Every structure is written in C-alpha cells, then in structure tokens.
Amino acid sequence: MKLDIVNFHVRDIQFGAKTEYVDGILTVNKEEALAVVREDSHITEAELHIVKPGDEVRLVPVKEAIEPRHRVGGGPVFPGVTGKLVQAGNGTTHALKDMSVLVVGKHWGGFQDGLIDMGGEGAKYTLFSELKNLVLVADTDETFEHKEQQKKNRALRWAGMRLAEYLGACTKDLAPVETEVYELPAITKRDSALNKLPSVVLVLQPQSQMEEMGYNDLNYGWDCNHMLPTFMHPNEVLDGAMISGSFMPCSSKWSTYDFQNFPMIKRLYQEHGKTLNFLGVIMSNLNVALDQKERSALFVAQMAKSIGADSAIVVEEGYGNPDADFTACIVALEKAGVKTVGLTNECTGRDGASQPLVSMDEIADAIVSCGNVSSLIKLPPMKVVLGELESLARDGLSGGWSNDEILGPSVKPDGSIIMENNAMFCGDRVAGWSTKTMKEF
C-alpha cells in the first residue's frame, strides 16, 4: 500500500462568499456549510464560529475533532461511515493542515465530552488550542439523551464528518505542493537489510467497551465491540478507516483527528528502515468480560509472533476497566517472547492514593505514562464561551461535578472553573502528542 497525503497548510480561516483555499487562507461559505450540517433533520440548531490560538475562548462540551480531507478519485473520506466501503490507505488524499473541525454541544454534555481553552493557562493542556478551528456549535432533537450521562451524539458527530468532507473538497482541483508518502512493503517481500533490523508491531486498543451499539470507535463503520484483533496496514488508520466513538473520559479519548494523524504511527514510519522494521498495526479492542479480555490478548500475542515481531508497543484508549485488557496484552506478548512497551495514562484519585492502573503485573515493567486523569486544574473565566459552561458541572462530564463538600462546584459564579484533567479534551494525548514530562522527587 502506498498513501500520498497532500498537505495544504491553513494560515487563517475566514467566512466569505465562496468556500475555497487560496494562498493558505481557507474561506468558508457559512450558509453552504450549515446546509451540509442540516442534511440530518435531527439537527435543530447550528452555528459556525472560527477560533484561533490565543483567543480568549472556552469551548465546552466538546464532542469531536476532525481534520478536513478529500479523497482524490472519489469515495468517502470515512469509508463505511459517511459513504460506501472503499479501501483506505492507498492512493491520494488531500488534507487541510494546522486546523480542525470541532463539534460542540450547544447545551447538553456527557461523560465523554470535554473542554478546550484557546488561550491562557488552559491552552497548554490540549493540542487543539494550537490549531485554527472551525467550530460547529449545535443541538439536536435527540431528547432521550439529554438526561443520560452517556450520549451517542450521533447527529452531531456525523455532521462534523460531513462538514470536514465539505471543506476538504475545496482542494480537489489544486496541485500538490507538499506530499507525505506512507508506504510499507509486504512483510514477506522485505529485503535482507530491512529484515536484519529489530521488527516492531504497534498494538492499538481503541475504546469498545459499550455492548450497546453506537458508542464505540468504528473500524470501516464496524463497531469495535464486535471485533477480534485484526492486522491492519498503518495507512488505513491514517486514511479514515478509524472513527472516534462517544464513550471514554475525555482526556483519555482519541478523536477522529488523532486517528488521522496518529503520532506513534508517524514516528514508527520515520524510523522504518533506519533503526527498526515497522511491521504494521494490530487493531485490538477493549472488552467487558474477563474471558473476552484474555481472548483478545491471546490473539494479539499469536498474531505478533506469527508476523515475526521482536517487539511491540501497546497503546490504550482509556483507563480503569480497560487497564485489564492493556496489561493482559502486554503480559501475553512478553510471554510469547515479544519485548513490549505500554503507553497509557493513569488514575490516582484526587488524593493521589489510588493504584494508578487497575490491573498490575510485574511482567509489565515498561510503561510510559501520559499523565494523571485525576490532577486538578483551576482556570480563570474566559471572555467567550462557545457551548454551555454549566454542562461541565451539570451533565456528568468525567472531570466535572455539580458540588463537592471540599471544592464546591466545578463552575464558579464568576465563570472560573475547577475540574479534573479528565475533562480536558484529548488532554493526555495518549496517541503520542503528549508534551507532559515526569518529575522525580
């Protein structure tokens, strides 16, 4: 497979008469873009905003982030989700870089939603404060979800994907200026020099714990809860095969933007042929019952061994119950003779006294921490709030609360907030973005 991602860097976003990309400026026809959003009759209210790094703007509840793209030659950007099934990871895809489409609820949030500050102290906690963002703030008639802590957010998430495809299409007739090339030879067709290097497989564990459909990450539109570990070409992940779900405490989740730009995949590509032989991706899952967890771990270890992996990197989307899948996978790989490193965040509780991973094993002795979901963050008021600030405390966001006997409510009368890192949108950057470092005491 050979994937060419043609990059069109966005220096600025503005509204105008025609949606087009010219000399680094993305101009968006707001009414056309909103018409794309309203193709779903469940959307009852919708507005678009532009936010940029340094703006004194707070966004909450943030539900999704997507990079605008266009598949050259036709076909959906997200196969099996926004259109028919086509092969991802092969051919040419255009990407609008240095920006994202953010989807924000106008009112109702949930356990899996988060917060982004574009400026001030809070900006350092999330990648998306560094991007130019077209923000869709919308509401739906899915009233059955209003009082539910878990929300599927289907209408809003799909509206974001349609909007990203609409924006990406403005590049379809533009000539390439900058192209990233991703190509791996078939495993059995690699030359002797490559085969002498240490071989590495990347094991991804996307969120898939919800047994009811509609909450989990999707693989070509297939709910990952119904998936057994599957060998995938890394290009498929970078090219729209994987879609973010609507379940997971927000600092731990992988947005669709994260899948499209998965840093760990890109880093392994950079080292391929130099220091290592990148075999590909085993897409596993996170399960509910113990036997399901054990079964997946056995599949992953067998698959890694069968393709000749000397080593593996296991990356977990989530914490808590998924830690059992995470450590089981590491242990199974190590027992199969595959040297393994894990990548996850941790949950120590606000007092720091809880076990950081629910499941521990002395064999899992090489784990990289991306941060503590329980860390308390205090942020001052922002001039502008897009969405509804009260949702942080009212709607069960994983890092917010309506009241605490010591800390009081998450949202203070003056608009300042206190919350757990849990609620920072994709804040722990477990996909490989993390700028956090460890301290020794």
Side-chain angles (χ1 to χ4, degrees), residues 69-329:
R69 291 192 175 183
H70 172 71
R71 190 175 301 281
V72 175
V77 172
F78 306 108
V81 179
T82 55
K84 64 181 181 179
L85 279 169
V86 298
Q87 180 70 66
N90 202 41
T92 302
T93 294
H94 288 183
L96 288 170
K97 306 301 290 186
D98 310 316
M99 71 159 294
S100 79
V101 170
L102 294 178
V103 181
V104 178
K106 185 166 185 177
H107 300 294
W108 301 99
F111 176 74
Q112 66 290 322
D113 297 335
L115 178 144
I116 295 172
D117 274 1
M118 293 302 298
E121 170 69 12
K124 70 183 182 184
Y125 290 98
T126 174
L127 168 76
F128 297 95
S129 65
E130 302 171 21
L131 304 177
K132 280 75 70 177
N133 299 296
L134 183 67
V135 182
L136 169 62
V137 181
D139 199 11
T140 76
D141 64 4
E142 297 163 316
T143 54
F144 64 92
E145 288 195 340
H146 283 180
K147 300 300 181 182
E148 297 292 328
Q149 190 182 32
Q150 299 290 348
K151 294 174 174 62
K152 296 180 181 180
N153 291 321
R154 190 188 192 284
L156 295 178
R157 290 160 57 214
W158 262 246
M161 286 185 279
R162 291 195 306 276
L163 182 55
E165 289 186 328
Y166 165 77
L167 296 175
C170 78
T171 68
K172 64 181 180 180
D173 296 322
L174 300 181
V177 176
E178 176 188 299
T179 302
E180 298 175 16
V181 179
Y182 297 97
E183 185 175 16
L184 287 178
I187 291 175
T188 59
K189 306 297 183 185
R190 299 185 182 183
D191 60 34
S192 58
L194 200 50
N195 285 327
K196 287 178 182 177
L197 294 171
S199 56
V200 182
V201 66
L202 178 64
V203 181
L204 300 183
Q205 295 180 310
Q207 185 50 237
S208 48
Q209 285 185 287
M210 294 294 280
E211 293 185 326
E212 182 181 338
M213 299 299 93
Y215 294 98
N216 299 311
D217 294 355
L218 301 179
N219 188 339
Y220 282 104
W222 187 259
D223 193 298
C224 290
N225 180 266
H226 288 179
M227 185 181 76
L228 287 170
T230 301
F231 185 71
M232 293 183 70
H233 198 289
N235 291 4
E236 295 178 281
V237 182
L238 297 177
D239 196 32
M242 297 296 300
I243 298 300
S244 177
S246 190
F247 173 74
M248 198 60 244
C250 205
S251 71
S252 307
K253 75 187 296 182
W254 301 338
S255 67
T256 297
Y257 183 99
D258 288 308
F259 281 119
Q260 292 172 297
N261 294 278
F262 216 91
M264 190 56 65
I265 290 177
K266 292 188 174 185
R267 187 74 178 97
L268 288 167
Y269 256 118
Q270 288 173 3
E271 294 300 318
H272 179 69
K274 300 174 184 176
T275 63
L276 56 84
N277 179 6
F278 183 22
L279 298 177
V281 172
I282 297 175
M283 191 66 65
S284 187
N285 49 6
L286 297 169
N287 301 283
V288 180
L290 183 59
D291 64 328
Q292 295 170 348
K293 298 173 186 293
E294 293 173 343
R295 185 179 298 112
S296 287
L298 290 173
F299 266 100
V300 168
Q302 174 275 127
M303 204 174 295
K305 196 68 176 175
S306 295
I307 62 175
D310 298 314
S311 57
I313 301 169
V314 179
V315 190
E316 170 192 24
E317 183 187 8
Y319 67 91
N321 184 287
D323 292 343
D325 301 79
F326 178 67
T327 54
C329 195

Side-chain angles (χ1 to χ4, degrees), residues 15 48 131 148 158 176 213 320 336 347 363 422:
F15 291 121
L48 293 175
L131 304 177
E148 297 292 328
W158 262 246
M213 299 299 93
C347 178
I363 293 176
N422 247 324

Side-chain angles (χ1 to χ4, degrees), residues 304-380:
K305 196 68 176 175
S306 295
I307 62 175
D310 298 314
S311 57
I313 301 169
V314 179
V315 190
E316 170 192 24
E317 183 187 8
Y319 67 91
N321 184 287
D323 292 343
D325 301 79
F326 178 67
T327 54
C329 195
I330 293 173
V331 169
L333 285 161
E334 286 280 353
K335 286 183 175 179
V338 180
K339 294 296 183 182
T340 304
V341 173
L343 180 61
T344 185
N345 54 7
E346 53 190 300
C347 178
T348 67
R350 292 180 201 165
D351 60 0
S354 297
Q355 183 170 293
L357 296 179
V358 168
S359 174
M360 306 283 276
D361 193 295
E362 61 184 11
I363 293 176
D365 60 358
I367 294 177
V368 177
S369 172
C370 298
N372 179 10
V373 304
S374 306
S375 298
L376 288 175
I377 299 172
K378 297 179 180 180
L379 298 174

